[in-house]
C-alpha cells in the first residue's frame, strides 16, 4: 500500500484507490473501452482480469480499442469469455484471432498512425472510458506512462472518465522516457516539429486532470512479454542480404555511413536483422520505429546506437530483466512517443526512414500481403507496416520463400489480399536472395522476384505462369491470366499444397 500511495502524488486522488473488482463493476454492455497498451507492454491487467471474471457470471460485451496487440490479461482474458464485440486497431492473440475469423468479433484492422485520429473523429462513437496503466500520477493529475504509449494519451484526452491502473512492478525510473505530443485535428493541425529521431516535442506525461480520474487500481502484474526464438539459418541469411545491400547503398552515396533511421518490424526476421547490425561495423545508428526490442539493447551495449525512438518497449523477459537492472543507462537511448507520432507518415517521410517489415506473401509484381491467409483469414493485422512502407525512403519486405514445409510458396502469381501495393515496395528479401524493384517496370520486376526470391521448387511454375501470361496478354503492362491468378491458393485450399502434381 505504501508503494501505491507514493505513486499517487496527489493526496486527494488517493481516496479514489479501489480494487480491480470495484473498478470492473463500472463497465456496461456496448461501452467503448479505450486502453493503453502496445504489444505486451503497458496494457491494463488487473482490471480486465476482474472484468473477465464478472463477464463469466453475467455475460456482456464491450468494444475494445487499444494501441495495438496487448498481453493475455487483456485480449486473451476477454476473448475467452466472449466479452469483445468490436476490436481495433491490431491484435496478435490466438483466441481473439479465432473469434475474429469465426465471425464473433468485428475487427477493424487500421493503420496504427491513423487509429487515434479515427477514434477522435466520432463515427465510432465516443470513448466511454479510458483505462490506462501508469507508473505514477503527478500532483496535477497527469499520468506517467510505463513501457508503451500507444494511443493512451489521445484516449485520455477524448474520455470524460479515466481509470488508472498504477502498476507497482514498473520502475519509477521510467519517468522521463516519454514524449507525449497529440496533434490537433484538421483544419488546425500544425507540422509535427520532429526533424531528428532524438527530438523531444511534447510532455513527459499524459496530460490529465484529477476530476477525470474515476478510479485508481493498484496492480503488480508485470508485462507478459514474449521470449525470443533462436535466430534460424534463413533469418540469418536475410539479415546478411540486408547488410550487404545497405553497404552498397552507402558506397553509391545514397545514404550516409550511419545509414538513415531504421524501422524494424517484429518477429524472427526482424530480430535477426537487428542482430546483424550489432555484429556489423556500422555505428552511430538511429532508430525511428514502432516497437523497441532486445536488438536495440544489444546495439546500445555495443556502443552503436545514438537513439531508439518508438511507441513500445517490448523486449523478451530476459531483455526486460536486463533493462530493469540498469534503467538509468538504457533510458538515455530510448524514447517512447504516441503511435500517432512514432508512425507518423509526415515524420517517417521527413526523416527518410528505412522500413523493414515482414510479409505473409508477395506476388511476382511486388504487391505484399501482410494480413490474410489465403485472402480470407486474418492473421494479425496491418499494424504499422503501411505507415512506414508507404512513407519510408527505402521499403524492404522480408519473407521466407516457403511456409509449412514447402506446401506454401510465399511468392505467388497474385496476392490473395493486398496491404502494400507494388508502388510502395522497393526491395523484397527471402532466404534465396534479394529483389531490387527500384526503377523496374512490372515485367522486369516479375523476373527479378521469381529468379532471386522464389524457392527453386516453385521457380519453374512461377516462370511458366509469367511466360504464358505475357503471351496471352500480348505483353501487357502487368501480365495475368485472370482465371489462373489465384490458382496457387486454390490448389492449397483443395489439396493442402500450392505445388502442382
Ligand atoms: N500462407 C499461409 N500461412 C503462412 C504463410 C502463407 N503465405 N506465410 C507464413 N504462414 C504461417 C507460418 O507457417 C506460421 O504458422 P504457424 O504459426 O502455424 O507456424 C505463421 O504464418 C507465422 O509465420 P512466421 O514466419 O512465424 O511469421 P512472423 O512471426 O515473422 O510474422 C507476419 C509474419 C506477416 C504474420 C507478421 O510480421 C505480421 O503480422 N505483420 C503485419 C504487421 C506488421 O508488419 N507489423 C510491424 C510493423 S511496425
Amino acid at each position: 500500500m505504501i508503494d501505491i500511495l507514493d505513486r499517487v502524488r496527489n493526496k486527494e486522488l488517493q481516496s479514489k484507490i479501489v480494487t480491480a473488482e470495484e473498478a470492473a463493476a463500472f463497465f456496461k454492455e456496448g461501452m467503448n473501452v479505450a486502453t493503453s497498451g502496445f504489444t505486451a507492454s503497458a496494457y491494463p491487467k488487473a482490471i480486465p482480469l476482474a472484468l473477465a471474471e464478472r463477464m463469466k457470471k453475467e455475460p456482456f460485451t464491450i468494444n475494445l480499442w487499444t494501441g495495438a496487440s496487448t498481453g493475455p490479461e487483456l485480449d486473451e482474458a476477454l476473448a475467452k469469455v466472449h466479452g469483445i464485440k468490436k476490436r481495433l486497431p491490431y491484435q496478435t492473440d490466438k483466441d481473439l484471432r479465432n473469434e475474429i475469423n469465426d465471425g464473433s468479433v468485428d475487427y477493424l484492422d487500421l493503420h496504427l498512425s491513423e487509429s487515434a485520429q479515427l477514434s477522435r473523429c466520432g463515427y465510432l462513437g465516443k470513448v466511454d472510458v479510458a483505462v490506462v496503466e501508469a507508473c505514477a500520477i503527478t500532483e496535477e493529475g497527469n499520468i506517467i506512462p510505463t513501457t508503451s504509449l500507444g494511443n493512451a494519451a489521445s484516449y485520455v484526452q477524448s474520455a470524460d472518465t479515466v481509470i488508472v491502473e498504477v502498476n507497482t512492478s514498473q520502475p519509477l525510473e521510467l519517468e522521463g522516457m516519454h514524449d507525449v505530443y497529440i496533434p490537433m485535428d484538421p483544419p488546425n493541425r500544425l507540422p509535427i516539429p520532429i526533424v531528428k529521431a532524438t527530438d523531444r516535442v511534447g510532455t513527459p506525461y499524459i496530460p490529465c486532470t484529477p476530476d477525470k480520474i474515476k478510479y485508481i487500481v493498484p496492480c503488480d502484474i508485470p508485462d507478459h512479454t514474449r521470449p525470443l526464438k533462436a535466430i534460424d539459418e534463413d533469418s540469418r541469411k536475410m539479415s546478411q542480404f540486408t547488410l550487404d545491400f545497405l553497404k552498397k547503398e552507402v558506397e553509391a552515396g545514397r545514404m550516409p555511413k550511419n545509414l538513415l533511421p531504421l524501422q524494424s518490424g517484429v518477429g524472427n526476421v526482424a530480430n535477426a536483422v537487428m542482430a546483424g547490425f550489432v555484429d556489423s561495423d556500422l555505428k552511430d545508428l538511429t532508430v525511428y520505429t514502432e516497437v523497441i526490442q532486445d536488438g536495440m539493447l544489444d546495439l546500445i551495449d555495443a556502443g552503436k546506437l545514438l537513439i531508439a525512438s518508438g511507441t513500445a518497449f517490448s523486449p523478451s523477459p530476459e531483455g526486460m530483466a536486463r533493462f530493469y537492472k540498469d534503467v538509468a543507462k538504457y533510458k538515455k537511448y530510448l524514447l517512447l512517443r504516441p503511435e500517432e507520432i512514432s508512425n507518423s507518415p509526415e515524420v517517417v517521410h521527413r526523416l527518410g526512414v528505412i522500413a523493414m517489415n515482414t510479409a505473409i506473401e508477395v506476388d511476382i509484381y511486388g504487391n505484399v500481403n501482410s494480413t490474410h491467409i489465403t485472402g480470407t483469414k486474418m492473421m494479425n493485422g496491418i499494424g504499422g507496416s503501411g505507415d512506414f512502407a508507404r512513407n519510408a525512403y527505402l521499403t524492404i519486405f522480408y519473407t521466407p520463400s516457403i511456409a509449412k514445409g514447402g506446401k506454401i510458396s510465399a511468392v505467388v502469381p497474385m496476392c490473395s489480399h493486398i496491404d502494400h501495393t507494388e508502388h510502395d515496395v522497393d526491395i523484397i528479401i527471402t532466404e534465396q536472395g534479394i529483389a531490387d524493384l527500384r526503377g523496374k517496370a512490372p515485367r522486369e520486376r516479375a523476373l527479378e522476384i521469381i529468379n532471386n526470391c522464389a524457392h527453386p521448387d516453385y521457380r519453374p511454375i512461377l516462370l511458366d505462369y509469367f511466360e504464358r501470361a505475357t503471351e496471352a496478354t500480348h505483353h501487357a503492362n502487368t501480365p495475368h491470366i485472370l482465371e489462373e491468378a489465384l490458382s496457387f491458393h486454390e490448389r492449397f485450399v483443395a489439396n493442402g499444397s500450392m505445388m502442382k502434381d
Side-chain angles (χ1 to χ4, degrees):
M1 197 63 179
I2 292 171
D3 198 18
I4 177 86
L5 293 181
D6 284 346
R7 286 171 184 248
V8 181
R9 296 175 197 156
N10 177 311
K11 296 275 175 278
E12 279 169 31
L13 277 177
Q14 292 178 356
S15 64
K16 298 190 177 179
I17 298 174
V18 299
T19 63
E21 289 69 27
E22 283 170 279
F26 175 80
F27 297 84
K28 292 192 181 66
E29 170 70 39
M31 269 187 170
N32 291 326
V33 178
T35 76
S36 62
F38 194 110
T39 63
S41 295
Y43 54 101
K45 301 163 182 87
I47 298 166
L49 284 176
L51 178 61
E53 280 306 310
R54 191 182 142 208
M55 284 169 162
K56 268 189 209 163
K57 292 175 206 131
E58 38 169 324
F60 69 98
T61 57
I62 57 161
N63 303 317
L64 180 60
W65 309 354
T66 63
S69 55
T70 68
E73 296 85 351
L74 180 52
D75 273 331
E76 184 187 309
L78 294 185
K80 274 195 180 342
V81 296
H82 313 294
I84 304 173
K85 175 73 190 120
K86 188 170 266 182
R87 178 75 172 86
L88 63 90
Y90 182 78
Q91 64 76 44
T92 54
D93 181 76
K94 186 162 72 55
D95 294 286
L96 183 54
R97 181 182 300 133
N98 289 340
E99 290 218 297
I100 289 167
N101 287 319
D102 73 12
S104 344
V105 172
D106 294 325
Y107 181 46
L108 274 66
D109 175 23
L110 306 175
H111 287 304
L112 296 185
S113 69
E114 289 183 354
S115 56
Q117 173 175 285
L118 290 176
S119 78
R120 293 195 298 264
C121 282
Y123 60 80
L124 293 166
K126 65 188 277 293
V127 174
D128 291 308
V129 57
V131 186
V132 294
E133 180 177 278
C135 217
I137 303 174
T138 68
E139 301 246 339
E140 300 75 25
N142 296 316
I143 296 167
I144 309 291
T146 62
T147 39
S148 78
L149 260 167
N151 285 329
S154 176
Y155 291 155
V156 166
Q157 178 182 280
S158 303
D160 296 329
T161 304
V162 176
I163 302 180
V164 185
E165 201 172 281
V166 175
N167 195 319
T168 53
S169 80
Q170 298 277 18
L172 278 168
E173 294 103 302
L174 294 180
E175 191 167 354
M177 234 176 92
H178 310 92
D179 186 52
V180 180
Y181 177 100
I182 308 174
M184 285 185 284
D185 285 320
N188 300 313
R189 184 165 297 159
L190 298 171
I192 299 169
I194 295 177
V195 293
K196 291 190 302 302
T198 42
D199 285 345
R200 282 176 175 267
V201 296
T203 55
Y205 51 77
I206 297 173
C208 188
T209 49
D211 56 305
K212 271 196 179 190
I213 298 178
K214 180 148 185 77
Y215 295 124
I216 297 166
V217 174
C219 171
D220 61 2
I221 307 169
D223 284 342
H224 201 112
T225 57
R226 289 193 197 149
L228 276 185
K229 285 194 200 154
I231 296 173
D232 60 36
E233 196 41 41
D234 284 353
S235 302
R236 212 182 299 279
K237 282 186 192 158
M238 290 189 249
S239 167
Q240 195 53 52
F241 289 135
T242 310
L243 286 164
D244 294 346
F245 169 77
L246 291 175
K247 206 171 149 206
K248 285 194 194 128
E249 287 301 289
V250 172
E251 282 162 13
R254 284 192 281 269
M255 49 180 80
K257 271 193 184 137
N258 69 336
L259 307 179
L260 288 163
L262 304 167
Q263 177 266 328
S264 149
V266 289
N268 285 337
V269 179
N271 289 331
V273 170
M274 289 322 291
F277 283 110
V278 175
D279 296 334
S280 74
D281 51 10
L282 289 160
K283 52 182 196 230
D284 298 334
L285 295 169
T286 60
V287 170
Y288 198 82
T289 195
E290 190 183 89
V291 182
I292 298 171
Q293 295 187 289
D294 296 53
M296 313 295 172
L297 300 181
D298 297 336
L299 284 174
I300 294 170
D301 288 344
K304 289 174 181 285
L305 187 78
L306 295 182
I307 184 77
S309 159
T311 191
F313 178 57
S314 191
S316 66
E318 299 76 43
M320 195 60 107
R322 177 150 57 121
F323 170 73
Y324 281 165
K325 249 192 189 161
D326 204 349
V327 182
K329 168 185 152 187
Y330 290 115
K331 190 172 142 175
K332 287 189 233 144
Y333 301 92
L334 306 178
L335 186 50
L336 297 180
R337 309 177 189 275
E339 65 193 80
E340 198 168 7
I341 306 300
S342 65
N343 292 26
S344 158
E346 174 197 335
V347 179
V348 169
H349 183 70
R350 182 180 302 128
L351 299 186
V353 165
I354 300 173
M356 301 178 286
N357 292 292
T358 311
I360 284 177
E361 64 185 4
V362 301
D363 71 25
I364 56 174
Y365 298 112
N367 298 291
V368 168
N369 174 6
S370 290
T371 55
H372 284 76
I373 303 292
T374 53
T376 54
K377 297 274 185 205
M378 173 55 73
M379 176 62 117
N380 299 324
I382 192 167
S385 56
D387 298 324
F388 291 100
R390 168 61 61 88
N391 301 293
Y393 177 77
L394 184 76
T395 295
I396 306 177
F397 275 95
Y398 299 89
T399 177
S401 68
I402 48 173
K404 305 283 178 214
K407 295 199 171 79
I408 290 171
S409 170
V411 181
V412 289
M414 183 185 264
C415 280
S416 58
H417 174 95
I418 292 175
D419 296 289
H420 313 290
T421 72
E422 53 177 314
H423 314 284
D424 298 337
V425 182
D426 297 315
I427 308 287
I428 292 173
I429 297 181
T430 69
E431 82 292 351
Q432 298 296 324
I434 174 163
D436 185 350
L437 309 181
R438 297 172 302 170
K440 294 195 172 66
R443 292 194 308 271
E444 295 174 301
R445 285 203 293 264
L447 290 173
E448 177 90 358
I449 294 172
I450 298 171
N451 289 329
N452 295 354
C453 291
H455 192 276
D457 291 350
Y458 282 98
R459 227 171 265 162
I461 56 174
L462 285 163
L463 272 176
D464 173 60
Y465 172 82
F466 173 65
E467 281 160 8
R468 285 186 297 107
T470 305
E471 182 102 12
T473 57
H474 309 289
H475 302 259
N477 187 55
T478 306
H480 268 304
I481 302 169
L482 293 181
E483 59 277 23
E484 243 190 78
L486 294 176
S487 57
F488 277 44
H489 303 86
E490 282 177 2
R491 276 199 298 279
F492 177 71
V493 171
N495 315 326
S497 172
M498 287 186 174
M499 191 52 82
K500 276 184 169 170
D501 291 333

